[in-house]
Amino acid sequence: MELVVARIGRAHGIKGEVTVEVRTDEPELRLSPGAVLRTEPAAAGPLTIETGRVHSGRLMLRFAGVKDRTGAEALRNILLIADVDPTELPEEEDEYYDHQLMDLDVVLEDGTEIGRITEISHLPSQDLFIVERPDGTEVMIPFVEEIVAEIDLEEQRCVITPPPGLIDDRAEIVSTRDDGAEAGEEA
């Protein structure tokens, strides 16, 4: 199974170092010197981490064979992918790998079906579940403690307590002007 662990950012300095946007809770395990990572796009890799360090709160990596700024800039926006044993679990109790969350049924606390997780979007501020509803539409659910009440891997479900408006049906609203004409019509 594969796990996206980072996205390569811009070059740093002139010796081939790059910044990386870490996408794993275990960077010391996945992004250490000697690690060989596949890439997306695949033609850019595999890449072997030669050195790693933290500078001003950002992880900097240098890859084997990348010795200058030009080579480093050519790697910008490439995703780094680690191969992970599918039976391996994260160290923390309330952490999950994407593959564990994919296809979970999403329900409200009263059992009302919302849909199924079809994608997980990793944003800088938080992760989002992309949930496909039974009617084929999608809704985005922030993966935050205030909304995601329970992840039950045995039952293959995710229980949510959404705030008002997060999952409400998005029926088209036709506003009416004072003269009785619908919005967008000439009076």
Side-chain angles (χ1 to χ4, degrees):
M1 186 211 57
E2 54 187 48
L3 178 70
V4 174
V5 294
R7 183 182 63 81
I8 299 175
R10 53 181 198 251
H12 179 79
I14 60 172
K15 297 183 179 180
E17 234 177 7
V18 294
T19 62
V20 292
E21 173 191 313
V22 177
R23 293 191 178 176
T24 176
D25 291 331
E26 305 166 315
E28 65 286 343
L29 177 65
R30 309 278 180 219
L31 299 170
S32 59
V36 179
L37 303 167
R38 289 188 295 116
T39 60
E40 179 63 42
L47 294 172
T48 302
I49 297 175
E50 196 169 85
T51 64
R53 67 186 179 99
V54 176
H55 175 71
S56 298
R58 301 245 355 168
L59 181 61
M60 307 285 182
L61 297 178
R62 185 178 9 246
F63 299 99
V66 179
K67 300 295 180 196
D68 59 20
R69 186 174 186 87
T70 303
E73 276 297 330
L75 299 175
R76 191 170 189 161
N77 292 323
I78 289 174
L79 295 177
L80 298 174
I81 302 166
D83 288 317
V84 178
D85 180 343
T87 61
E88 181 181 328
L89 298 175
E91 291 177 10
E92 298 293 322
E93 184 179 319
D94 61 346
E95 291 179 1
Y96 303 93
Y97 291 133
D98 287 5
H99 75 276
Q100 294 175 293
L101 301 170
M102 292 297 292
D103 293 321
L104 291 185
D105 292 323
V106 178
V107 297
L108 297 178
E109 285 184 306
D110 67 5
T112 303
E113 179 185 359
I114 301 302
R116 179 179 59 83
I117 298 174
T118 57
E119 184 180 338
I120 298 158
S121 181
H122 300 282
L123 303 176
S125 59
Q126 68 189 15
D127 295 334
L128 288 176
F129 293 155
I130 310 302
V131 177
E132 184 177 316
R133 302 183 81 161
D135 66 3
T137 61
E138 290 183 337
V139 62
M140 292 182 276
I141 309 287
F143 186 18
V144 295
E145 190 176 342
E146 297 80 18
I147 297 173
V148 178
E150 177 187 1
I151 299 285
D152 186 338
L153 296 178
E154 258 184 50
E155 293 292 322
Q156 287 291 289
R157 69 181 187 155
C158 169
V159 179
I160 63 170
T161 56
L166 183 66
I167 60 168
D168 298 339
D169 288 337
R170 297 183 180 167
E172 192 172 311
I173 298 171
V174 178
S175 64
T176 305
R177 297 191 323 206
D178 288 339
D179 61 7
E182 288 186 4
E185 288 183 3
E186 294 294 322

